[in-house]
Amino acid sequence: VEAILDKEKFTLEELLDEDEIVQECKALNGRLINFFREKSSIRQLIQYIVEEPSEEADRQRTFKFPFVACEIFTCEVDIILKALVEDDELMGLLFSFLDPGRVHSTVLAGYFSKVVVCLLLRKTTPLVNYIQAYPNIIRRLVDLIGITSIMEVLIRLSCADEHIYANHADTMQWLEDISFLEMIVDKFSSSDSPEVHSNAAETLCAITRYASPGLACKISSPGFIGSLLTHALEQSRPKSVLVNLLSVCISLLDPKRLTSGVYYIYARQTNFGSGSAANSETVQGMLERLGKCDLLKLLDISSDEHAMVTTYGKLQPPLGKHRLKIVDFISVLLAVGNGAVEKELIQLGAVKRILDLFFEYPFNNFLHHHVEHIILSSLESKNPLLVEHILCDCNLVGRILEAEKNFTLAVDLNKPTVPSEGKVPPRIGNIGHLTRIANKLIQLANTSSYIQAFLQEKSDWLDWHTNVLVQRNAVGNVLQWSCGRPTTLQDRGRDSDDDDYQDRDYDVAALANNLSQAFRYGIYNNDSIPEAHDSNEHEEDVYFDDESAEVVISSLRLGDVDQESGSLFTNSNWFEFE
């Protein structure tokens, strides 16, 4: 780089072609920074980012130069960013990428997004002032919301960034005065693209969680919720509209839950019925629409003629994302603990229909998770009518016992799930969820006299509990297993980034084989294994079979880590066996 800068004449391309150029920028090379701060240099860097290369362009122009140009801006050198953001001509060139007539490749959109986000973080006030002066920028960003990197810019702009909002709250208030939310919602009616619907919903979900009080108040208002559900239930629209708008409703009911895109998680695997801190007006707005709309009618599968062949048989029809999302929405709505919601769902027969789906689709574990949540929320409800409804009207105990008695998939061509012809019908896949529900019933009977009296009247339940459930729980109690695996189950209540590591189901044979390789190459010092000291004498790889793994597991206690040595095995001498 210095050699190029020493020349009397040199080009920007020569510098961009150097591998050390980004590191030199980060090191604040004075001569290099002075060159890049010039308007002509910044203009050319922006052109690499926003202008699609011609078909005849070489690989450097197509790939390397746009990437390096983006990296130079994102080095966050203040003098370069200042020169860019304070020049309207250069800013106009940067945002010309959004022009409708341009080709918007995802690669260049990513570079554009990184530069804009960098300006938003480091030069918030001047950037927002520029966007306010040219309101079409917001409209064009929303038009390109189907590109994920553009969606990220919108999320940052909508105050869904704690750093920006905390330091520039006054500057960011202007979004509340324009129809920003309406622009995003309009994409559900003006576009048929699932990517557009998904990204628009993810933007709205981010706003429900992090945005300014003004935007958050607007998005949770009954009028806005009515608009969302109106779009969701248009018969002519793709199912992705319904699925993604219900994700927004779920986020409004339970802001702590991430419900969209790559951020989707089940945050309450072990915290059923914990309740959600939802706005009462939000719940009321949804309740008003729920009684008027045909949302629950979509759970009816009788008129759906689709079919899908699976490894265990055939689904006629498949459950589908939209029905699964409706069940998810009902589960979150019920967990709010609102009496009016519970009354409405009882009148609409929603819980009973969803319980039917649980048994009609015995291999859909996503569905089983949500239905289990609904059942446990109902049983834990303070509303005795809901508890009575789930036990009596929905016949919960009777259906559990029926499924336990007939635990193989029924051969009935009129049912949604049909086993393969000529094969033995498989065992239904929701027995585990039924076991947990049954255990919850037993637990709640200790504190609820109504549930206890109800179960005591069921002689077949008492027999099943004594002869089946108690024994099943004993077998499933891993803390009593003689091998002591896994000890970390005692800490199931923790919430940390180490869950995946701690709960991993180790492959013992693979561990034993890896350890043999470690000894072979002398990683562990063990004098009694001569092969470990001379790898040249033993060229052939050593692998353990299942029989050898049995010897390993008899001496191994998984999950016990020697804190001093940091080794998975507390004593390496166990490895000496014939």
Side-chain angles (χ1 to χ4, degrees), residues 240-314:
S240 60
V241 173
L242 172 64
V243 170
N244 287 290
L245 282 175
L246 285 179
S247 291
V248 179
C249 293
I250 290 171
S251 186
L252 284 165
L253 290 170
D254 189 359
K256 293 182 180 179
R257 177 174 169 184
L258 309 181
T259 56
S260 295
V262 297
Y263 306 109
Y264 186 86
I265 60 171
Y266 285 108
R268 295 169 301 169
Q269 286 279 10
T270 57
N271 295 311
F272 291 111
S274 58
S276 308
N279 186 309
S280 58
E281 290 186 0
T282 303
V283 176
Q284 188 62 34
M286 291 183 185
L287 192 60
E288 290 175 0
R289 296 294 304 174
L290 193 64
K292 299 175 183 177
C293 68
D294 296 330
L295 184 66
L296 296 177
K297 290 183 180 179
L298 294 175
L299 295 178
D300 182 14
I301 58 175
S302 58
S303 60
D304 194 333
E305 298 180 356
H306 292 89
M308 184 175 74
V309 177
T310 69
T311 54
Y312 52 80
K314 184 170 68 172

Side-chain angles (χ1 to χ4, degrees), residues 413-487:
L413 298 180
N414 296 320
K415 290 189 175 182
T417 306
V418 181
S420 301
E421 294 183 10
K423 293 184 179 180
V424 177
R427 180 186 174 94
I428 58 177
N430 51 13
I431 293 294
H433 289 85
L434 291 175
T435 301
R436 291 202 301 203
I437 293 168
N439 284 326
K440 190 66 176 181
L441 272 171
I442 299 299
Q443 178 187 341
L444 291 174
N446 295 327
T447 56
S448 170
S449 57
Y450 175 79
I451 295 178
Q452 185 177 36
F454 182 86
L455 295 180
Q456 290 296 329
E457 294 174 358
K458 304 284 185 180
S459 59
D460 47 354
W461 164 268
L462 296 176
D463 292 341
W464 177 79
H465 171 254
T466 304
N467 299 322
V468 178
L469 185 60
V470 172
Q471 295 180 22
R472 183 181 297 170
N473 289 335
V475 173
N477 185 359
V478 296
L479 299 179
Q480 302 300 321
W481 290 359
S482 59
C483 66
R485 171 207 172 273
T487 58

Side-chain angles (χ1 to χ4, degrees), residues 123-139:
K123 299 293 177 184
T124 306
T125 301
L127 176 65
V128 171
N129 290 340
Y130 179 82
I131 295 177
Q132 281 184 269
Y134 298 92
N136 278 340
I137 290 177
I138 293 293
R139 169 64 68 181

Side-chain angles (χ1 to χ4, degrees), residues 159 165 172-180 212-215 218:
C159 312
Y165 184 72
M172 306 303 289
Q173 293 295 322
W174 64 280
L175 273 175
E176 300 173 15
D177 301 326
I178 64 175
S179 55
F180 176 63
S212 63
L215 279 180
K218 188 174 183 179

Side-chain angles (χ1 to χ4, degrees), residues 89-104:
E89 181 186 343
L90 293 176
M91 291 294 286
L93 179 60
L94 176 64
F95 282 98
S96 68
F97 176 78
L98 303 175
D99 291 348
R102 284 186 180 272
V103 176
H104 302 103

Side-chain angles (χ1 to χ4, degrees), residues 8-19:
E8 290 187 9
K9 292 184 179 181
F10 59 89
T11 63
L12 177 64
E13 287 79 3
E14 289 180 78
L15 285 172
L16 297 182
D17 202 29
E18 284 297 320
D19 293 336

Side-chain angles (χ1 to χ4, degrees), residues 43-279:
R43 179 187 296 109
Q44 198 168 351
L45 289 172
I46 293 174
Q47 286 173 341
Y48 284 135
I49 292 172
V50 302
E51 294 179 0
E52 194 73 25
S54 63
E55 295 182 0
E56 296 78 19
D58 58 18
R59 290 181 60 84
Q60 301 291 86
R61 169 64 185 88
T62 304
F63 300 108
K64 185 173 184 178
F65 291 169
F67 170 76
V68 176
C70 174
E71 290 298 304
I72 289 171
F73 285 118
T74 54
C75 284
E76 300 181 356
V77 179
D78 186 75
I79 197 169
I80 296 176
L81 297 182
K82 185 178 180 182
L84 168 59
V85 80
E86 291 181 354
D87 190 309
D88 279 7
E89 181 186 343
L90 293 176
M91 291 294 286
L93 179 60
L94 176 64
F95 282 98
S96 68
F97 176 78
L98 303 175
D99 291 348
R102 284 186 180 272
V103 176
H104 302 103
S105 72
T106 54
V107 175
L108 292 186
Y111 296 148
F112 167 81
S113 170
K114 287 182 70 175
V115 174
V116 174
V117 168
C118 180
L119 290 174
L120 191 58
L121 290 171
R122 301 302 172 194
K123 299 293 177 184
T124 306
T125 301
L127 176 65
V128 171
N129 290 340
Y130 179 82
I131 295 177
Q132 281 184 269
Y134 298 92
N136 278 340
I137 290 177
I138 293 293
R139 169 64 68 181
R140 290 178 178 178
L141 283 169
V142 173
D143 287 341
L144 297 175
I145 200 171
I147 303 174
T148 301
S149 52
I150 300 297
M151 174 203 72
E152 292 171 357
V153 174
L154 281 170
I155 290 177
R156 300 272 190 166
L157 277 173
S158 63
C159 312
D161 185 288
E162 295 177 1
H163 169 77
I164 296 175
Y165 184 72
N167 296 286
H168 303 277
D170 296 337
T171 308
M172 306 303 289
Q173 293 295 322
W174 64 280
L175 273 175
E176 300 173 15
D177 301 326
I178 64 175
S179 55
F180 176 63
L181 294 177
E182 288 76 5
M183 291 182 197
I184 297 175
V185 174
D186 285 344
K187 300 306 293 182
F188 290 100
S189 59
S190 62
S191 173
D192 290 340
S193 168
E195 290 79 13
V196 170
H197 303 155
S198 175
N199 288 352
E202 190 155 349
T203 304
L204 293 174
C205 287
I207 293 172
T208 65
R209 291 190 292 271
Y210 306 118
S212 63
L215 279 180
C217 181
K218 188 174 183 179
I219 199 174
S220 61
S221 65
F224 190 83
I225 290 170
S227 174
L228 289 180
L229 292 175
T230 298
H231 284 289
L233 295 166
E234 287 184 16
Q235 295 291 334
S236 60
R237 306 299 296 138
K239 289 293 188 290
S240 60
V241 173
L242 172 64
V243 170
N244 287 290
L245 282 175
L246 285 179
S247 291
V248 179
C249 293
I250 290 171
S251 186
L252 284 165
L253 290 170
D254 189 359
K256 293 182 180 179
R257 177 174 169 184
L258 309 181
T259 56
S260 295
V262 297
Y263 306 109
Y264 186 86
I265 60 171
Y266 285 108
R268 295 169 301 169
Q269 286 279 10
T270 57
N271 295 311
F272 291 111
S274 58
S276 308
N279 186 309

